[in-house]
Amino acid sequence: MEPVKTQVYAEVDYDKEGKQQGYLRIPYSRDSSGWGNLFMPITVLKNGKGPTALIVAGNHGDEFEGQVCVMKLARALTAEEIAGRIILMPALNFPAAKAGKRLSPVDGKNMNRSFPGERQGTLTSVIAHYVTHFLFPISDIVLDLHSGGYSMEFIPSALMHKVEDPVQYQKMLGGLLAFNAPIGFIMREIAGEGLLNEEAERMGKVVIGTELAGGGQLSPTAIKIAEVGVRNVLIHYGLLKGEIVTRESQGLPKTRLVESPNREDYLMAPADGIYESFYELGAEIKKGQPIGQVHFLDRIDWEPEEVRAESDGLLVCTRGPGLVERGDCVGVLARDV
Ligand code: ZN
């Protein structure tokens, strides 16, 4: 089989012992820079034998918690304190992260719908292709740190997919619980195709994600949960020395393991307008109960249209901005596993 080619040039050597901070260079020819490159930060730490963890954030550029967490980790970690290899990328969709937007302003693409990517595709697709063919194959554990971004807010959660392979599932569940987030979310994907985590799961990797709050903000609580959680996961898989910091040791209730297996658990705005949520995150909702309503700016004489829960559950996600369009996700309900 022909070796897979890429346009991406890595300044770092993934097999070299020690700590390297460098860049992935990607040809980015444009009006203002014919022979220009995009420089994407990457940190690689290697110390002897052990598993490889790939930790990415900024898959969506408006999700700041993970980006800050990975940058802090990249500065703090030393090769001496790890066993194996850790690859850190704080801003996977770098142009989107620079712009603070979910999608790339360069090609309008959503990184998390672009996998497995294309070698000769647009910038987002070229990055996804590199991750699929050069980083996933050398990784055992993949951590993909998301949050609600501008459009949604979550109870800070570690999450995983319900993969079919029982061995892979158990390994992922171990890491999910080790994260020690308030919520451990086993989710069904309604987001579409081309996701990073699904691509890595297909390759048999242990894949854990997060939804760390959101609303386009940087909550100190969410950052702390992310920092403790990522280190915990690294300790759990034997990559980092130290003891797992449990929620109990911080005087907090244990991780609540929940799932949202059905389409009905994801509630969408029924119309364009202003969405008024009736509940804060963490509310326990019963099927048939209104969780919010959409107001119609043009028609003060119209009653607002209610959004009713189609299942029982814990409100783990709600809408960020007040303005909604029909089909926007305004709530996710989850039940204890
Ligand atoms: Zn995201």
Side-chain angles (χ1 to χ4, degrees):
M1 211 168 70
E2 284 241 341
V4 180
K5 290 183 187 160
T6 178
Q7 300 188 53
V8 179
Y9 168 73
E11 290 181 357
V12 289
D13 175 353
Y14 299 109
D15 296 320
K16 193 175 158 187
E17 296 285 319
K19 178 174 181 175
Q20 306 165 74
Q21 263 172 341
Y23 294 87
L24 297 180
R25 299 186 192 183
I26 304 150
Y28 176 28
S29 181
R30 53 209 191 272
D31 285 341
S32 60
S33 184
W35 288 7
N37 274 231
L38 181 78
F39 280 56
M40 282 182 44
I42 187 165
T43 302
V44 182
L45 298 111
K46 189 171 183 300
N47 187 19
K49 296 226 178 307
T52 294
L54 170 66
I55 306 178
V56 304
N59 181 333
H60 293 130
D62 63 343
E63 301 172 1
F64 305 107
E65 298 89 337
Q67 297 177 42
V68 167
C69 171
V70 174
M71 283 192 283
K72 286 168 90 171
L73 198 63
R75 284 192 295 271
L77 281 181
T78 62
E80 293 70 37
E81 63 183 322
I82 75 157
R85 178 168 52 185
I86 301 175
I87 302 168
L88 298 154
M89 294 180 72
L92 187 63
N93 197 338
F94 195 72
K98 289 269 280 185
K101 298 210 176 280
R102 181 174 177 83
L103 310 184
S104 172
V106 172
D107 54 18
K109 281 195 174 169
N110 182 339
M111 177 65 76
N112 213 27
R113 305 292 181 275
S114 299
F115 279 79
E118 291 173 90
R119 178 167 68 95
Q120 291 179 310
T122 61
L123 202 53
T124 305
S125 191
V126 168
I127 297 167
H129 178 269
Y130 182 78
V131 172
T132 301
H133 294 281
F134 292 83
L135 297 183
F136 286 164
I138 61 170
S139 300
D140 303 290
I141 297 133
V142 176
L143 260 168
D144 183 22
L145 304 180
H146 289 256
S147 80
Y150 278 106
S151 69
M152 294 185 290
E153 283 185 59
F154 283 84
I155 304 176
S157 310
L159 69 94
M160 60 179 269
H161 283 146
K162 205 165 187 173
V163 293
E164 304 265 317
D165 179 348
V167 176
Q168 187 185 19
Y169 180 84
Q170 284 304 326
K171 278 191 195 160
M172 283 164 59
L173 186 61
L176 182 85
L177 293 171
F179 201 101
N180 276 272
I183 297 287
F185 194 7
I186 299 177
M187 76 177 299
R188 170 203 155 116
E189 207 57 71
I190 60 152
E193 296 182 5
L195 288 99
L196 179 149
N197 48 4
E198 285 187 344
E199 192 61 39
E201 283 157 8
R202 260 195 291 279
M203 294 167 80
K205 308 301 171 184
V206 170
V207 188
I208 294 166
T210 61
E211 290 296 355
L212 285 166
Q217 298 178 354
L218 207 52
S219 131
T221 308
I223 285 282
K224 186 172 178 223
I225 290 166
E227 288 180 356
V228 169
V230 171
R231 282 180 178 270
N232 278 346
V233 169
L234 292 173
I235 293 166
H236 174 77
Y237 293 116
L239 273 141
L240 187 62
K241 297 176 186 120
E243 294 283 318
I244 287 180
V245 179
T246 63
R247 290 180 56 76
E248 292 92 320
S249 73
Q250 303 170 75
L252 299 166
K254 266 172 61 172
T255 297
R256 187 164 167 183
L257 205 55
V258 301
E259 61 180 357
S260 303
N262 306 317
R263 192 163 282 277
E264 294 74 51
D265 300 326
Y266 299 80
L267 297 163
M268 308 296 169
D272 296 7
I274 298 176
Y275 179 70
E276 174 195 4
S277 178
F278 295 155
Y279 297 98
E280 303 286 350
L281 287 172
E284 299 283 353
I285 308 290
K286 290 268 170 256
K287 185 176 176 179
Q289 190 177 339
I291 66 154
Q293 60 187 4
V294 177
H295 296 265
F296 306 102
L297 268 175
D298 296 324
R299 294 304 302 263
I300 194 171
D301 55 319
W302 284 3
E303 284 298 315
E305 186 163 349
E306 282 181 344
V307 179
R308 286 179 183 273
E310 295 169 32
S311 54
D312 295 345
L314 174 77
L315 188 65
V316 291
C317 169
T318 186
R319 172 75 182 170
L323 214 57
V324 291
E325 288 179 25
R326 177 172 162 84
D328 285 343
C329 183
V330 293
V332 179
L333 297 172
R335 283 169 300 287
D336 292 311
V337 174

